[in-house]
Amino acid sequence: DYFSVEDLWAYAQGERATTGVLAYFKEIIEKNKGRLGTSLSPNTQKVYKSTLRHLEAFIKNRIKGTDINLKALTIAHIEDFRNYLLTHCNRNTANKYLKTLRAVLNTAIKEELLYKNPFKYVRLSAGQYDRSFLDQDELNRLLEVKLTIPALILAQEFMIVSCFTGMHYSDIVSLKPENVVEKNGRTFISKKRVKTEQPFLVPLF
């Protein structure tokens, strides 16, 4: 693995040990636990954990190793990791994992464990998808279909609420009774987005 004279000197002085990408990633996930519910959402923490799992599999199966030294990480590694991800998920999901890894490496730079981020010259291009909407006939079918399996009934209800309010799944599942409020004689859902913490109001008819 690559190391510099500064690394060797710091290691000899006991100031820091060599740090692998996976080892450092696990440290970040552990530190994230203290931010959950404040500056970090549970969903974001899940993305961190999913990214780590894919990175571990990549290093084991493609690199044939147990870890990569932070300073030994190159643009070639990032490109290889992207190609690996694209064989397991779509482009937008792959980009989400790559952005998470980039954020971890940026933190390593701030902590002076890494001098430059190999992502600097890596461009993440989004996939193109036709995000269609339900027409009235499809919406009526969703409303009228009779289901018997509790899990499917719950999924149907979530979908209906999402269709009529425009709310994201994570905002719906985190709803609490106190989020339903009265304002000027009208009823609203008053809440903050799970992802962005931006407040919103949804009128209930």
Side-chain angles (χ1 to χ4, degrees):
D1 287 340
Y2 166 84
F3 65 91
S4 67
V5 174
E6 290 84 1
D7 295 324
L8 182 60
W9 178 254
Y11 182 76
Q13 296 297 311
E15 294 175 3
R16 68 171 181 264
T18 55
T19 304
V21 176
L22 296 180
Y24 184 69
F25 209 123
K26 291 173 183 177
E27 287 181 21
I28 295 295
I29 289 176
E30 192 63 29
K31 290 178 182 177
N32 282 348
K33 291 180 180 179
R35 299 167 51 206
L36 286 174
T38 54
S39 59
L40 188 80
S41 74
N43 284 338
T44 301
Q45 179 76 325
K46 287 181 182 179
V47 174
Y48 271 79
K49 291 180 178 180
S50 296
T51 305
L52 175 61
R53 285 196 298 270
H54 281 290
L55 192 58
E56 285 176 326
F58 165 73
I59 291 175
K60 178 181 178 180
N61 298 319
R62 294 284 180 88
I63 307 297
K64 306 299 182 184
T66 56
D67 207 343
I68 303 174
N69 190 294
L70 267 173
K71 292 186 178 66
L73 198 64
T74 65
I75 297 174
H77 285 130
I78 303 299
E79 294 289 358
D80 287 345
F81 183 45
R82 171 160 53 187
N83 292 334
Y84 172 84
L85 288 173
L86 290 174
T87 63
H88 293 79
C89 51
N90 64 47
R91 184 171 294 278
N92 285 347
T93 303
N95 284 345
K96 179 169 61 177
Y97 294 144
L98 290 168
K99 287 176 182 177
T100 304
L101 176 58
R102 181 172 62 189
V104 168
L105 297 180
N106 281 334
T107 303
I109 291 174
K110 293 177 184 177
E111 295 182 354
E112 299 184 346
L113 295 173
L114 193 63
Y115 301 130
K116 60 181 180 179
N117 196 330
F119 269 98
K120 183 177 180 180
Y121 302 104
V122 176
R123 182 181 178 185
L124 304 180
S125 57
Q128 298 297 319
Y129 296 95
D130 179 16
R131 294 184 178 274
S132 58
F133 56 87
L134 297 182
D135 59 31
Q136 189 62 52
D137 178 61
E138 291 169 328
L139 184 56
N140 289 339
R141 288 165 59 192
L142 175 65
L143 290 166
E144 295 167 2
V145 65
K146 302 300 181 183
L147 302 171
T148 57
I149 301 173
L152 292 181
I153 294 172
L154 192 60
Q156 177 191 30
E157 291 176 347
F158 283 159
M159 184 67 178
I160 291 170
V161 173
S162 182
C163 286
F164 281 100
T165 65
M167 292 171 60
H168 190 272
Y169 173 81
S170 61
D171 295 317
I172 295 173
V173 298
S174 61
L175 276 174
K176 296 179 180 179
E178 53 264 33
N179 294 130
V180 180
V181 299
E182 296 286 336
K183 290 181 182 288
N184 300 320
R186 296 188 61 185
T187 307
F188 294 87
I189 293 174
S190 177
K191 197 176 181 299
K192 288 185 177 180
R193 286 288 310 275
V194 170
K195 185 174 183 179
T196 64
E197 295 191 349
Q198 292 297 312
F200 67 86
L201 278 176
V202 175
L204 297 179
F205 300 100

